[in-house]
Amino acid sequence: MRPLRRPTRFSTERRTGDVPGPGCFTPYDWSRSYLLRPEVRSNIPLRGSVGMLGAHNVARGLLVETCRHTGAHPTCLHYAETVLGDGAIIVVEVTATAHLPTNEPLTVHTRAQHRRHDDARDGDWSISIDGVVYTGEDRRRPPSPPVQGWIVHRLVRRATSG
């Protein structure tokens, strides 16, 4: 059995002929284990382990990758699931809170709808930062945690440079 190799390029980089979509991610984008510091307040475990929910790891990943891309310090993480329509739709909401290097608070909220019959629609994944909803970032499926962190960095930088 061959060991899992780390990709030689970031999954967000494109080559000629690459088509963006679910196939543009490498297995490495989804195989990371995210650990939170003990001082982070969270309603889910700070560390994952075998058999735990993958959704919790993605939630931790949002906070870790947001901090990695923006230089922020993590403070709080909240995860919530809501089941709608007799289980036809599951809504997963994650709120990650951190402090930027300028000591300004940063709150990132993502919302993902997962449908029973996998009929993903535009807007099934959405993001807001500090209460501002960025509808131009809506997607059919959630991006990987590293890409979510990059999106936050890009939007925060755009908001502060205008």
Side-chain angles (χ1 to χ4, degrees):
M1 178 175 216
R2 293 179 9 205
L4 180 65
R5 292 185 332 161
R6 191 174 196 166
T8 56
R9 65 184 180 94
F10 292 111
S11 63
T12 55
E13 294 175 0
R14 293 182 61 195
R15 293 176 294 177
T16 304
D18 280 353
V19 177
C24 70
F25 299 115
T26 67
Y28 187 71
D29 284 325
W30 293 102
S31 64
R32 298 173 186 167
S33 181
Y34 294 101
L35 311 174
L36 299 180
R37 299 175 61 104
E39 62 269 12
V40 173
R41 294 183 325 266
S42 177
N43 68 332
I44 61 173
L46 299 177
R47 304 173 167 270
S49 63
V50 175
M52 291 186 81
L53 289 175
H56 287 178
N57 197 51
V58 173
R60 286 187 294 269
L62 171 65
L63 181 57
V64 169
E65 293 292 345
T66 294
C67 291
R68 183 173 74 91
H69 284 278
T70 63
H73 182 77
T75 55
C76 186
L77 180 67
H78 186 266
Y79 175 91
E81 286 183 10
T82 306
V83 179
L84 304 173
D86 296 326
I89 299 174
I90 299 173
V91 179
V92 175
E93 295 182 281
V94 178
T95 303
T97 307
H99 281 88
L100 293 168
T102 59
N103 210 28
E104 295 174 74
L106 172 66
T107 302
V108 179
H109 181 82
T110 62
R111 183 177 193 271
Q113 294 186 116
H114 304 280
R115 301 170 191 278
R116 180 185 300 163
H117 300 291
D118 197 32
D119 58 341
R121 302 173 190 162
D122 285 339
D124 276 359
W125 182 84
S126 60
I127 188 168
S128 65
I129 300 173
D130 295 330
V132 177
V133 179
Y134 291 92
T135 55
E137 297 297 328
D138 288 358
R139 293 187 161 77
R140 290 178 178 253
R141 303 195 191 293
S144 68
V147 173
Q148 289 181 40
W150 178 82
I151 290 170
V152 171
H153 168 72
R154 182 172 47 82
L155 294 173
V156 166
R157 191 177 68 205
R158 183 172 72 191
T160 57
S161 66

